[in-house]
Amino acid sequence: MNNNKALCIKKDLIELQQWQKRLEENHRELDFMNRIHKQIIQASEITYDLQHVRRKNTLGLASLCKYELQLLKELENSCGMYDISLAKNHEKRRVEFITTDQVFFELKIKLYEKLSCYSVR
């Protein structure tokens, strides 16, 4: 295997692991957001949004896991150069991750806006 290709794939794997960790953290945070929603907010649109974001987060994580397997297989079995198709595929995954994380961020803002309407008495 070309050392340059192996190095590039290993770099992609490191970045991928960071994305996976972030989505796992988001999933954990969604658990707490759901508790807060059930105990305080109780708004139907937030219920739907929580479900939607959890689903998107889960599907995003599953997609990244499949991509990880592809990269590991490419690292193990392939020879040749790290070409534009591999780079484009990685960038496609980056966009998917960013989009998923952005949807999660927007939900957090929506939840914080709802919480800011409540006052302590």
Side-chain angles (χ1 to χ4, degrees):
M1 175 180 281
N2 184 320
N3 285 337
N4 185 41
K5 183 175 183 178
L7 181 63
C8 290
I9 291 174
K10 287 177 183 178
K11 179 219 39 107
D12 289 351
L13 282 166
I14 290 169
E15 187 173 32
L16 173 63
Q17 289 169 350
Q18 293 169 345
W19 300 339
Q20 289 170 317
K21 185 175 185 332
R22 176 61 182 256
L23 292 184
E24 288 169 358
E25 290 167 350
N26 289 358
H27 203 74
R28 188 163 179 229
E29 193 170 349
L30 279 165
D31 290 338
F32 287 102
M33 292 168 72
N34 197 37
R35 283 188 204 169
I36 291 168
H37 171 260
K38 284 181 179 179
Q39 293 175 0
I40 301 170
I41 300 172
Q42 302 172 354
S44 60
E45 74 272 6
I46 299 291
T47 302
Y48 170 79
D49 291 342
L50 280 164
Q51 291 171 347
H52 171 73
V53 172
R54 181 178 296 279
R55 189 176 308 116
K56 186 162 183 63
N57 194 72
T58 301
L59 292 173
L61 190 54
S63 176
L64 292 180
C65 289
K66 286 180 185 177
Y67 177 53
E68 180 180 31
L69 292 175
Q70 291 171 355
L71 284 177
L72 291 171
K73 189 175 183 180
E74 188 72 34
L75 186 62
E76 183 180 297
N77 298 330
S78 172
C79 57
M81 299 291 290
Y82 185 87
D83 60 8
I84 193 71
S85 67
L86 290 172
K88 281 185 177 183
N89 189 26
H90 189 74
E91 289 309 307
K92 176 184 166 192
R93 303 303 176 140
R94 181 192 316 275
V95 169
E96 289 174 3
F97 163 74
I98 290 170
T99 302
T100 301
D101 197 47
Q102 182 64 35
V103 170
F104 177 72
F105 176 77
E106 290 167 4
L107 173 64
K108 285 196 301 188
I109 296 302
K110 195 172 190 178
L111 191 77
Y112 293 148
E113 286 173 346
K114 288 283 187 185
L115 283 173
S116 68
C117 294
Y118 293 89
S119 63
V120 178
R121 294 181 186 188

